[in-house]
Amino acid sequence: VRIGSSCAVESLPPHPSSCIVNSLESFQEHVRMEDLSPKPSEAVSEDQDLADTASKLAIQCRALSERVATHTQRVKNSQELLGGEAATLQRELDALIQRFEARRGKEELYEVHNTLQRAKQIFEGSGPGDDLRKLLPAGRNPLIIRLLLGKTTCLTAQDRSGSIKIKEEYYNFKDTNAVWFVVFSAVLLAAHKLSSRRLQMTGKLSLQPPIKVGVQLYLCWLMYFYVALSLRENVLKANGSKFRAWWIHHHYYSIGIVLIMLVLPVDSPAVNQHCERFLSWCVCQGVIMMMQNRYQRRRMYTRIALGKNSNMDIVAGESSGTSGQLLMLLPFLFGLQVLQMYVGLTVIFETKHSILISEGWLEMEEHTSDLRGSRGACLCGALFVRMAVGNFLALVGTLVSKRQYRLAALSRSHSRQALTPNNGSSSSKAE
């Protein structure tokens, strides 16, 4: 009976309520899966919406591109027309200025001179349309621009705000790097002097290797500084700035000197002696540069406000401003040029023997010889002399031009005063 009861219990069918519960759970799971799976109609509608949106965006991009192309062509045509008008106007203005110069001595033409000067200033950037010379066909880029940036690089900014930003960035670059110019050269000069003195006294711990590395790094920084300055000044010149071409050529000579000094042997006695003089001159030049930058910024803004210069005019510090402030700078400028001439001539006289001997020109010199360093230092001295002469001539030319302009202004004022009583007497006679 016990076994039969157990078999009877094992063979009993499942309870109806448990079957119902299981069937409900399976039905709910099936419904849940059907809700999560996307319906065919909804998937098709979402894909169609994506395709419609993509085609709509493609049509809008095409329409905007066509509008931009039309606008670009219209602007190009307008620029060509305005460029032709600007070229014609420039030719007429130049021809009229030549006619005025032929009859310059007559006193009754002082009003014509003022009118021509005002027209020329408007044409060169004083008017509301910025510098009209930008509408003329672009000339050939300078050599340094062609070498570093290419032949077809456009250097001009189309609007006045862009040109002004280029000029302000140029000023900030000069102001910032003039400080580093003085700091680096002064620190290296002091370290070089202390190292030389310690080497003569004790012969130990002179720190010559790190100082020579510092000098080489300073020369690399000078290379960057002069190259960047040359590029910026060429860009400013293309945007209407007026300054003497010598100040750009001066930076080219400086690049050449730095290149020569970088390839010279650092253990050469002639190079070490020339390096100390070079650092001394760099300290003086950096101080003068800071004075020029401060003076230039203040006086140029004053002249632009008075209408004597256009917004893009950039001149060296010694070639702008009133006579009193210019006289304040003249001793420092001439003193710097005398120092530059002295350094160059001293290096030439001390190393000229290396140029006169034939050793090392067609064959390699001995390892213990200092011909390479001496000849490189002699070449740097010659470039120093050339720069000193160029700076002196440029400064004298600036002073002469300022004196001529002042005398011409005085003669025009005297002519105006002389013509005023005549006009009054003629009017009284007519009455």
Side-chain angles (χ1 to χ4, degrees), residues 75-110:
V75 170
K76 182 180 179 181
N77 296 335
S78 300
Q79 286 183 348
E80 290 178 355
L81 293 175
L82 294 174
E85 293 181 8
T88 304
L89 186 60
Q90 187 184 38
R91 287 193 298 267
E92 294 178 355
L93 185 60
D94 292 341
L96 190 57
I97 290 176
Q98 291 179 359
R99 289 177 56 189
F100 172 77
E101 292 295 335
R103 306 179 59 179
R104 190 180 182 88
K106 296 188 176 182
E107 298 179 352
E108 60 271 13
L109 294 179
Y110 71 92

Side-chain angles (χ1 to χ4, degrees), residues 147-327:
L147 291 176
L148 298 180
L149 302 180
K151 298 180 181 179
T152 60
T153 303
C154 182
L155 304 179
T156 58
Q158 295 301 323
D159 55 343
R160 176 178 294 180
S161 60
S163 300
I164 296 299
K165 288 180 181 178
I166 294 174
K167 188 183 76 169
E168 292 297 329
E169 181 65 24
Y170 170 78
Y171 278 138
N172 295 332
F173 179 81
K174 287 186 66 177
D175 292 341
T176 303
N177 287 276
V179 178
W180 294 115
F181 198 99
V182 176
V183 171
F184 290 157
S185 56
V187 170
L188 289 173
L189 178 62
H192 198 279
K193 286 183 175 296
L194 291 176
S195 175
S196 301
R197 185 179 303 175
R198 188 175 182 85
L199 185 63
Q200 292 176 0
M201 294 176 61
T202 61
K204 297 180 180 180
L205 296 177
S206 61
L207 300 179
Q208 284 285 333
I211 293 176
K212 293 181 184 299
V213 172
V215 171
Q216 295 295 310
L217 292 177
Y218 177 63
L219 291 175
C220 293
W221 179 84
L222 281 181
M223 174 64 66
Y224 155 75
F225 173 70
Y226 285 122
V227 170
L229 208 59
S230 301
L231 291 175
R232 291 170 186 265
E233 289 177 351
N234 279 285
V235 172
L236 285 170
K237 188 175 181 180
N239 282 273
S241 297
K242 293 184 297 184
F243 45 86
R244 290 183 178 271
W246 165 251
W247 301 115
I248 301 180
H249 299 163
H250 172 272
H251 297 147
Y252 295 160
Y253 284 106
S254 301
I255 292 172
I257 291 176
V258 174
L259 275 176
I260 294 172
M261 294 185 66
L262 278 172
V263 300
L264 293 180
V266 295
D267 56 347
S268 170
V271 173
N272 290 331
Q273 193 173 5
H274 170 62
C275 182
E276 185 170 340
R277 294 167 181 164
F278 174 74
L279 291 175
S280 303
W281 178 80
C282 284
V283 173
C284 299
Q285 187 194 25
V287 174
I288 298 299
M289 191 185 304
M290 293 174 63
M291 295 174 60
Q292 284 181 333
N293 292 343
R294 181 180 179 184
Y295 170 72
Q296 180 185 38
R297 178 77 60 89
R298 184 176 65 251
R299 289 306 306 164
M300 181 52 65
Y301 285 155
T302 303
R303 293 178 64 86
I304 290 174
L306 294 175
K308 297 181 179 180
N309 290 92
S310 64
N311 292 323
M312 287 303 296
D313 277 352
I314 291 180
V315 293
E318 70 275 5
S319 60
S320 65
T322 59
S323 58
Q325 291 173 325
L326 182 59
L327 291 176

Side-chain angles (χ1 to χ4, degrees), residues 22-187:
N22 293 334
S23 62
L24 286 175
E25 290 179 353
S26 62
F27 177 75
Q28 290 176 358
E29 184 68 22
H30 178 69
V31 171
R32 190 182 304 110
M33 293 300 295
E34 287 184 351
D35 292 340
L36 292 176
S37 62
K39 296 180 180 180
S41 59
E42 293 180 357
V44 171
S45 62
E46 186 175 357
D47 294 342
Q48 186 64 32
D49 182 62
L50 288 175
D52 294 341
T53 305
S55 60
K56 183 179 179 181
L57 289 176
I59 293 172
Q60 290 178 355
C61 292
R62 178 68 180 181
L64 180 59
S65 178
E66 291 177 353
R67 288 165 54 194
V68 169
T70 304
H71 173 72
T72 304
Q73 186 64 33
R74 185 167 59 249
V75 170
K76 182 180 179 181
N77 296 335
S78 300
Q79 286 183 348
E80 290 178 355
L81 293 175
L82 294 174
E85 293 181 8
T88 304
L89 186 60
Q90 187 184 38
R91 287 193 298 267
E92 294 178 355
L93 185 60
D94 292 341
L96 190 57
I97 290 176
Q98 291 179 359
R99 289 177 56 189
F100 172 77
E101 292 295 335
R103 306 179 59 179
R104 190 180 182 88
K106 296 188 176 182
E107 298 179 352
E108 60 271 13
L109 294 179
Y110 71 92
E111 287 294 341
V112 178
H113 177 269
N114 294 336
T115 305
L116 286 176
Q117 290 296 323
R118 186 164 59 251
K120 187 176 180 181
Q121 290 176 358
I122 293 174
F123 189 84
E124 294 179 353
S126 297
D130 200 13
D131 194 349
L132 300 181
R133 293 173 296 180
K134 295 180 181 179
L135 300 173
L136 302 175
R140 191 180 183 186
N141 288 338
L143 178 61
I144 189 172
I145 300 294
R146 296 197 304 270
L147 291 176
L148 298 180
L149 302 180
K151 298 180 181 179
T152 60
T153 303
C154 182
L155 304 179
T156 58
Q158 295 301 323
D159 55 343
R160 176 178 294 180
S161 60
S163 300
I164 296 299
K165 288 180 181 178
I166 294 174
K167 188 183 76 169
E168 292 297 329
E169 181 65 24
Y170 170 78
Y171 278 138
N172 295 332
F173 179 81
K174 287 186 66 177
D175 292 341
T176 303
N177 287 276
V179 178
W180 294 115
F181 198 99
V182 176
V183 171
F184 290 157
S185 56
V187 170

